[in-house]
Amino acid sequence: LCPPPPAPDRRPGRGGPEMCIRDSRSPWTLALTAAVALALAACGGPEDAAGGTEPGVHDVPEIPVQVTAPPDWERGTRDGAFLLRAPSGTGSEDFRANVVVTGKQSAQTVDEAGAATTAAVASIPGWVPDPDGQGPTTLAGLPAYRVAGTYGAAGTAVAQEIVAVRTGDGPDAWVVDLTASYAVDDADGAAQARAILESVQVAPAG
């Protein structure tokens, strides 16, 4: 039987990537230092890679966006959140770059979402805001809000970028949250994770 998911404040052991993700039932409340399964066969962890040599286009289940990732990045879910993760043996030995996508239909503006995120990440132990990483931006040609900073995960310095984007102006629009996490010294993982964020395609609503 598969073990239950770790508690939100439990840090993984060596080699276990760690990131902050939002509970899909309440996307703007951060689950602090939620652990991600290490092994590909672990429950709730990444399930497969796109394969081949072409980037993989992934439709995010139940959320009206799609993202494009390198063909060897693994796709899966963790605690109900859509997850993409760099392959084993790449980047930092102790932390594998990853991207998490969550969202829900909401009347919340991206500025309101960004303000809530900024307040939430301040509670992460060791969180250091990026002085240039906070504030309004654009993603997929739509208004967005970016929050970024660093924190420590099992002895590894991790950078995290959280970008909220709204799919439209109508009452049925979604606020979608994309979170990229990577070791500070993993330049390739950082570039690939950022490219996934920038690849997002949104189906406008309303």
Side-chain angles (χ1 to χ4, degrees):
L1 294 177
C2 297
D9 62 350
R10 184 178 303 163
R11 292 184 180 276
R14 181 176 178 82
E18 181 184 5
M19 65 189 173
C20 300
I21 62 173
R22 291 177 175 77
D23 184 332
S24 61
R25 293 166 298 176
S26 181
W28 313 123
T29 301
L30 285 178
L32 300 181
T33 58
V36 176
L38 172 62
L40 297 183
C43 296
E47 298 165 353
D48 54 58
T53 59
E54 296 298 319
V57 178
H58 302 277
D59 292 316
V60 180
E62 301 181 2
I63 298 176
V65 299
Q66 62 178 205
V67 290
T68 301
D72 55 352
W73 273 54
E74 300 151 5
R75 150 184 190 144
T77 59
R78 177 63 179 175
D79 297 333
F82 177 83
L83 168 67
L84 290 168
R85 188 172 66 174
S88 178
T90 62
S92 170
E93 180 180 353
D94 293 322
F95 192 99
R96 289 161 63 180
N98 58 76
V99 172
V100 171
V101 183
T102 58
K104 70 173 183 179
Q105 287 180 299
S106 174
Q108 192 176 42
T109 68
V110 292
D111 286 348
E112 290 169 340
T117 297
T118 300
V121 296
S123 299
I124 299 174
W127 177 263
V128 179
D130 177 353
D132 300 321
Q134 327 301 316
T137 184
T138 59
L139 191 66
L142 293 174
Y145 197 102
R146 179 177 181 267
V147 176
T150 59
Y151 66 99
T156 299
V158 174
Q160 189 167 81
E161 302 180 38
I162 308 161
V163 183
V165 62
R166 187 169 173 80
T167 63
D169 296 325
D172 295 330
W174 285 63
V175 177
V176 179
D177 198 30
L178 302 104
T179 302
S181 306
Y182 45 85
V184 169
D185 60 359
D186 182 7
D188 289 341
Q192 291 176 342
R194 288 179 183 140
I196 293 172
L197 263 58
E198 294 167 358
S199 76
V200 66
Q201 296 293 315
V202 177

